[in-house]
């Protein structure tokens, strides 16, 4: 994912969520709806989360130094992990608390039609944000399913925005159902039920994001397809005849470290080996553009362990 592409989806989500949050707070104040208030807090959390994603991208651009010789690109993973924690603690935690409170102590809604109008407006704005994220993600997703894209993507921002927006849309439907059932049945408990459902939904999404971002933060290797391409392009069958060992790790969303021990054919001189390594690096970078940092160690392949 290019930073620019991800940034467009983030800015769209931030703009939509800021406007939605303001409208929801007005609606919650007018109607007294717990599900509306939970959705307002959810939108505030989402707005802050988009800000954190932009901050992570900005800090990731810092130049490498002696303390961090591979650069600061993992800031994008760190801030995405913080986003997941915020979504879990602030979004899910507050909605669950408010839902339980509203079920135990139901309160009549005033002007519920105002809540319905605001929720419909929010659905429209959230749909715009979600469709922007979908459009930005399609070139990277390819033929994979959306779930596989979220699980396998080494870039954090688009999966985060996609899950947040999808959760927001479903949450709005829960809020709409809670307010609507309260209007139809004149039983405000339904508003609390809708609020509780929003909290549970946000909790599930947050846990998925926490697991995925934690894995990226620790360090994930190349995808199976990238691994296959790297192995295929390291070998030229004339000077390099096999890959003995290969280890990879993403230093950031767009920078892959490749470290390999390669088997060279016998009797090559130093100049020929150096040229073979340079050519192999060029082939790999062409096949896998993310492979920006490559370390290759030439060796002779042995079928038996070398003597110590």
């Amino acid at each position: 994912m290019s930073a620019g592409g991800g940034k467009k989806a983030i800015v769209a989500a931030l703009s939509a969520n800021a406007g939605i949050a303001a409208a929801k707070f007005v609606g919650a104040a007018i109607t007294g709806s717990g599900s509306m208030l939970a959705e307002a807090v959810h939108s505030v959390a989402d707005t802050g989360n988009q800000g954190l994603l932009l901050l992570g991208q900005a800090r990731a651009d810092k130049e490498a130094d002696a303390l961090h010789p591979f650069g600061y690109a993992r800031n994008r993973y760190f801030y995405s992990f913080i986003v997941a924690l915020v979504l879990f603690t602030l979004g899910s935690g507050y909605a669950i608390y408010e839902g339980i409170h509203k079920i135990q102590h139901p309160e009549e809604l005033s002007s519920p039609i105002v809540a319905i109008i605001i929720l419909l407006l929010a659905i429209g704005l959230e749909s715009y944000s979600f469709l922007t994220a979908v459009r930005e993600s399609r070139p990277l997703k390819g033929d994979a399913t959306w779930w596989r894209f979220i699980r396998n993507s080494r870039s954090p921002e688009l999966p985060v925005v996609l899950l947040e927006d999808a959760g927001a849309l479903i949450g709005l439907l829960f809020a709409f159902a809670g307010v609507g059932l309260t209007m139809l049945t004149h039983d405000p408990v339904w508003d609390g039920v809708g609020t509780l459902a929003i909290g549970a939904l946000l909790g599930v999404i947050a846990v998925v994001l926490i697991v995925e971002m934690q894995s990226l933060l620790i360090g994930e290797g190349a995808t199976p397809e990238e691994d296959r391409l790297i192995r295929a392009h390291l070998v030229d069958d004339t000077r390099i005849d096999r890959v003995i060992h290969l280890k990879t790790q993403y230093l950031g969303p767009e920078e892959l470290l490749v470290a390999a021990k390669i088997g060279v054919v016998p009797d090559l001189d130093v100049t020929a080996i150096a040229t073979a390594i340079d050519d192999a690096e060029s082939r790999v970078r062409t096949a896998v553009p993310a492979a920006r940092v490559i370390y290759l160690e030439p060796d002779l392949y042995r079928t038996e362990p070398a003597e110590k």
Side-chain angles (χ1 to χ4, degrees), residues 224-235:
E225 177 62 16
E226 288 171 336
D227 184 275
R228 184 190 66 79
L229 287 171
I230 291 168
R231 291 178 183 275
H233 287 84
L234 282 174
V235 176

Side-chain angles (χ1 to χ4, degrees), residues 82-236:
I82 296 299
V83 163
L85 292 178
V86 170
L87 189 64
F88 184 79
T89 54
L90 183 58
S92 176
Y94 178 80
I96 289 174
Y97 165 79
E98 184 68 15
I100 292 173
H101 176 74
K102 288 291 185 181
I103 291 173
Q104 292 176 337
H105 307 285
E107 300 175 5
E108 294 292 334
L109 301 183
S110 59
S111 304
I113 192 64
V114 174
I116 295 295
I117 293 171
I118 291 174
L119 286 172
L120 290 174
L121 173 64
I123 288 172
L125 291 173
E126 202 67 68
S127 296
Y128 160 74
S129 175
F130 179 67
L131 291 175
T132 300
V134 168
R135 185 167 56 251
E136 293 292 309
S137 302
R138 283 193 188 281
L140 301 174
K141 183 181 79 72
D143 296 330
T145 63
W146 285 107
W147 177 244
R148 186 176 177 184
F149 168 69
I150 291 169
R151 291 298 309 273
N152 292 342
S153 176
R154 300 303 189 260
S155 299
E157 292 90 354
L158 284 176
V160 169
V161 173
L162 279 169
L163 280 177
E164 276 192 349
D165 286 352
L169 280 171
I170 297 171
L172 285 167
L173 294 177
F174 285 160
F176 190 89
V179 174
L181 286 171
T182 298
M183 292 175 61
L184 292 173
T185 64
H186 303 288
D187 185 354
V189 167
W190 287 110
D191 184 50
V193 172
T195 307
L196 193 60
I198 292 168
L201 171 69
L202 294 180
V204 170
I205 291 174
V207 168
V208 171
L209 286 176
I210 287 171
V211 171
E212 291 304 312
M213 295 307 121
Q214 181 257 2
S215 180
L216 288 170
L217 191 57
I218 290 174
E220 291 188 358
T223 65
E225 177 62 16
E226 288 171 336
D227 184 275
R228 184 190 66 79
L229 287 171
I230 291 168
R231 291 178 183 275
H233 287 84
L234 282 174
V235 176
D236 62 7

Side-chain angles (χ1 to χ4, degrees), residues 269-283:
D269 59 28
V270 173
T271 300
I273 291 174
T275 302
I277 289 174
D278 290 342
D279 292 344
E281 290 179 355
S282 178
R283 291 193 301 271

